[in-house]
């Protein structure tokens, strides 16, 4: 609609009141709002920022409680868009105080002359999308309305304080303060009895300072948090040197890192380190006083594995007990209900030591919950505490609160955002919402936001949004809206990412669990800052994938689809492989490919410990075959699984699927014997198949000697190994044994037909390519032999075979022949379960500690093997708490954390 018509329709809509016409209206003059204004202005968009406070600063304007500081080092928690700004401002401390941060925002606002476009003391009371005009109409508390083409919420994630949800607050006759709305004037606490309710970051930062002033401080703690010493002071020389040595590269590394601070990816896993080494690492981290360091740099599995996390959490618990003198108080302060890092850990200055003061009391609300607040103080189930002051450090309605609860937002067709988000926030990229055209959120739910250095995420979001607006203007588009498909895909990807972390195992404000009645689900994007950035870039370079763009004089553009269909860890692996720009594996020749695989495997994380690993040989048909036996830690005898490695009958050996065999041995409590069958092209068909059968027969006959249970064995295999396992079952049935009680076939080769759709859909790009499969077949088997059931078990007789679990991966050329085998087994009356792993590629299941999202599949494999062996189900807690593709229910979160 031309602007003159817009103006006319708007003046009607606002009944003659003043309406400010702008291209973009931004809510909030904090970190995000200021940078937005600067960039939008430079790009030539008329912009107004609407801010409820009377000055800039956002969260740092409101959170003025004693001890308020950032807990990302200030050299990282800064704008980076202008190198001159960086040299013009010098932080005085490693973690700046709130007044200094506020001064910084004032400095930025002055330097870029931002205040003239900020309307302070202005609260928006409603925002409504006018479809005909393709504009948002904003009403405000101070009369003047705003009409804007684009509406951007820069409202922050933690700006809507949560009501205390305790009866009787209004009855209290003393002073009441909220950390998130601390008064501007000095609060006098000297000589007063003070209560602090809440021990999140705000409580933990303020408690030591309040204790110094108050006559007596009583802390009411519902859930203890992990807190680490900040060791504040000057910025650490090594970090400053790193930054100053090459500022541009330092900032760029931060932008592509996982958390927005340039620390390297940790590679050592907890089980590779001795107790002393782990302790040494913790002591080093403790001395550093850096939240991101301790959250990421101790060992690679600390944030993704329950056991790896527990080792770290135990060491931190020891530190708490070392500092707090009274054992009962120390115990109450020690968290046990969540993995370290699943709830936001805090940085503190003297927090734990404060409880050694005689004038500080800790009340454990888990033992004596608050009943009510009375005129004179706080009443628990057991006691009454008379106080003069109550400080509520009870947190925020995080992530959605500031966007949704502050004012009604009405989108296309009269849709209300509160209704659309009633069951939890739905967004595309955390930046946009289907049904709400031209609305953007900076660090909205679904963006890395609070799990990252906010400074880095904010700059990335702002740049992405403003660059899109510029591109739209150039192309003549006036409206942009996310599609439902893209949004649903993002929700799936978010859930997939969440299964990689331990956030799902804690009741926190990340999941909405701190607000009674709020829908539960991990709200921030847990996939990391760098991956998120690359996804956003791909959306733009992919023709604005998942967005509908319209304009008065241009054809509508909608490149619909899901931006990430791969599991997040698969995406990382495939991107890494793509970056290596390897020539096709088959071009190396058989020996070259074997050498490459050996090198590739040497770089993977060490396999997890099992009871015992024994290398041996067994007699094959033409001489000895090597094997590797994995024995569980539990007392034997154990059921035996004969395992065949993958590698297209050409590559690999009895050790090449080592992490997978270890994992399955641990999960099943069974002996795994991985067989080194002979390979093509030196030994062509049917050598591998016959070796597999002979080895299974020998292992079954010598089960007791190997420490296994005599009786039937099971077979398992991956890829060509699964082909051998399937063939072994057919041969065992036809040749009078051995007895096999079940077969586990992971991405099996079952047929020599290459015209099933998965062969072309997944022909390239997923590591195992169609041409690599052709090469494997050519080396293994002449065309005349390929229809032999010993090469293509799908062509054999399937009746009377052992029960099976067939696992297929979505992005695998072999997907369809795996499904075909499962269907054929079922048709032949064989009990069979078939699982398709969404978003996975051919190698997903054997890359155990790299592709972690296969964990629920591996749990199901272990369950199937136990079933085959006639054993009861035995699920491990934690790693299968949430299946990929959905978020946890409150019950699951509580159960898994408990
Ligand atoms: P948090 O981290 O949400 O902490 C709030 C604290 O208040 C937490 O200990 C809560 O216990 C406690 N709380 C909340 N409601 C109650 C009631 N009704 N009774 C007793 N205790 C209660 O907020 P913060 O302001 O400290 O920090 C927010 C973020 O700001 C922080 O993570 C940094 O990113 C900066 P609970 O754990 O819910 O049992």
């Amino acid at each position: 609609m031309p602007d003159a018509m817009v103006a006319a329709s708007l003046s009607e809509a606002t009944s003659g009141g003043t309406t400010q016409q702008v291209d973009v209206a931004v809510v909030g003059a904090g970190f995000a709002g200021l940078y937005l204004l600067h960039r939008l202005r430079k790009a030539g968009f008329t912009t107004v920022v609407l801010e409820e406070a009377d000055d800039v600063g956002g969260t740092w304007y409101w959170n003025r409680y004693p001890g308020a500081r950032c807990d990302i080092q200030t050299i990282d928690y800064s704008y980076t868009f202008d190198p001159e700004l960086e040299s013009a401002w010098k932080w005085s401390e490693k973690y700046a105080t709130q007044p200094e941060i506020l001064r910084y925002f004032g400095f930025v606002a002055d330097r870029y002359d931002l205040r003239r476009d900020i309307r302070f003391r202005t609260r928006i009371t409603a925002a409504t999308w006018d479809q005909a005009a393709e504009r948002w109409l904003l009403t405000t508390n101070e009369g003047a309305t705003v009409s804007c083409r684009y509406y951007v919420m820069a409202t922050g994630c933690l700006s809507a304080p949560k009501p205390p949800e305790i009866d009787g607050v209004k009855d209290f006759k003393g002073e009441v303060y909220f950390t998130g709305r601390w008064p501007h004037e000095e609060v006098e606490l000297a000589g007063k009895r003070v209560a602090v309710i809440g021990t999140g970051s705000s409580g933990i930062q303020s408690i030591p300072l309040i204790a110094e002033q108050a006559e007596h401080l009583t802390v009411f703690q519902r859930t203890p948090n992990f807190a680490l010493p900040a060791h504040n002071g000057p910025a650490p020389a090594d970090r400053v040197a790193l930054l100053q040595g090459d500022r541009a590269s330092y900032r760029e590394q931060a932008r592509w890192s996982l958390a927005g601070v340039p620390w390297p990816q940790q590679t050592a896993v907890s089980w590779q380190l001795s107790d002393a080494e782990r302790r040494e690492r913790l002591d080093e981290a403790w001395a550093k006083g850096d939240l991101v360091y301790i959250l990421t740099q101790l060992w690679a599995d600390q944030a993704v594995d329950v056991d790896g996390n527990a080792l770290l959490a135990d060491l931190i618990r020891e530190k708490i007990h070392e500092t707090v003198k009274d054992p009962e108080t120390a115990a109450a302060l020690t968290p046990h209900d969540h993995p370290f890092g699943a709830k936001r850990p805090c940085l503190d200055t003297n927090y734990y030591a404060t409880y050694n003061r005689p004038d500080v009391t800790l009340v454990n609300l888990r033992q004596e919950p608050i009943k009510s607040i009375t005129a004179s103080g706080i009443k628990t189930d057991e006691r009454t505490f008379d106080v003069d002051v109550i400080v509520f450090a009870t947190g925020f309605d995080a992530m959605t609160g500031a966007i949704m609860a502050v004012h009604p937002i009405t989108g296309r067709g009269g849709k209300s955002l509160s209704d659309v988000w009633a069951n939890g926030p739905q967004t595309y990229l955390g930046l946009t919402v289907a049904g709400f055209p031209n609305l953007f959120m900076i660090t909205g739910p679904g963006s890395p936001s609070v799990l990252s250095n906010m400074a880095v995420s904010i700059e990335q979001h702002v740049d992405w949004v403003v660059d899109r607006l510029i591109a739209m203007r150039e192309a003549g588009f006036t409206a942009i809206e996310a599609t439902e498909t893209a949004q649903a895909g993002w929700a799936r990807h978010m859930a997939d990412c969440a299964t990689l972390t331990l956030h799902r195992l804690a009741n926190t404000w990340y999941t909405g669990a701190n607000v009674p009645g709020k829908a539960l689900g991990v709200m921030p994007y847990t996939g990391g800052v760098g991956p998120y950035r690359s996804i956003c870039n791909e959306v733009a370079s992919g023709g604005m994938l998942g967005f509908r763009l319209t304009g008065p004089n241009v054809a509508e553009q909608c490149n619909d689809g899901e931006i990430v269909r791969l599991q997040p860890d698969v995406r990382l692996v495939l991107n890494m492989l793509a970056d290596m720009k390897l020539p096709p594996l088959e071009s190396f020749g058989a020996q070259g490919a074997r050498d490459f695989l050996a090198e590739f495997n040497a770089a993977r994380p060490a396999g997890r410990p099992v009871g015992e690993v024994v290398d041996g040989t067994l007699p094959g048909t033409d001489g000895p075959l090597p094997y590797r036996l994995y024995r569980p830690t539990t007392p034997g005898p154990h059921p035996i699984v004969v395992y065949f490695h993958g590698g297209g009958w050409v590559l690999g050996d009895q050790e090449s699927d080592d992490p997978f065999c270890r994992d399955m041995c641990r999960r099943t409590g069974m002996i795994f014997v991985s067989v080194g069958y002979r390979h093509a092209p030196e030994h062509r068909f049917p050598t591998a198949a016959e070796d597999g059968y002979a080895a299974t027969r020998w292992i079954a006959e010598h089960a007791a000697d190997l420490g296994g249970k005599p009786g039937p064995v099971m077979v398992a295999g991956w890829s060509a190994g699964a082909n051998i396992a399937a063939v072994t079952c057919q041969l065992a049935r036809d040749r009078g044994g051995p007895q096999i009680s079940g077969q586990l076939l992971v991405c099996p080769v079952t047929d020599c037909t290459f015209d099933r759709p998965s062969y072309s859909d997944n022909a390239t790009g997923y590591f195992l390519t169609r041409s690599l499969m052709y090469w494997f077949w050519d080396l293994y088997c002449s065309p005349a032999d390929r229809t032999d059931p010993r090469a293509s078990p799908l062509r054999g007789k399937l009746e009377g075979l052992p029960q099976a679990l067939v696992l297929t991966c979505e992005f695998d050329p072999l997907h369809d022949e795996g499904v075909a085998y499962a269907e054929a087994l079922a048709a032949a009356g064989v009990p069979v379960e078939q699982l398709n792993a969404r978003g996975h590629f051919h190698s997903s299941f054997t890359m155990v500690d790299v592709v972690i999202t296969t964990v629920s599949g591996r749990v199901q494999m272990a369950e199937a093997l136990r079933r085959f062996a006639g054993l009861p189900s035995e699920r491990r807690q934690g790693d299968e708490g949430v299946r990929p593709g959905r978020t946890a229910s409150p019950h699951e979160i509580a159960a898994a954390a408990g």
Side-chain angles (χ1 to χ4, degrees), residues 158 162 164 198-202 222-223 343-344 393-396 509:
L158 296 157
K162 182 179 84 91
T199 51
S201 287
S202 307
R222 190 162 66 183
T223 314
K343 191 171 183 143
R344 178 73 145 72
T394 40
F396 300 87
W509 58 258

Side-chain angles (χ1 to χ4, degrees), residues 213-229:
Q213 298 170 46
E215 179 193 300
H216 191 95
L217 169 64
T218 311
V219 177
F220 293 82
Q221 171 195 270
R222 190 162 66 183
T223 314
N225 241 335
F226 289 101
L228 320 150

Side-chain angles (χ1 to χ4, degrees), residues 253-268:
Q253 280 175 46
R255 291 180 188 123
W256 290 99
S257 66
L258 282 181
V261 180
W263 290 107
Q265 188 91 25
Q266 187 50 242
T267 50

Side-chain angles (χ1 to χ4, degrees), residues 469-506:
L469 298 192
I470 294 170
M472 284 176 65
R473 183 175 59 191
E474 282 166 4
F477 292 116
T478 47
I480 176 168
E481 184 184 338
T483 69
E484 294 284 354
T485 309
Q487 186 164 282
W490 190 247
R492 249 189 310 277
H493 175 58
M494 288 272 296
D496 290 342
C497 290
T499 64
L500 277 172
T501 74
L502 303 177
H503 291 296
R504 60 195 158 78
L505 302 182

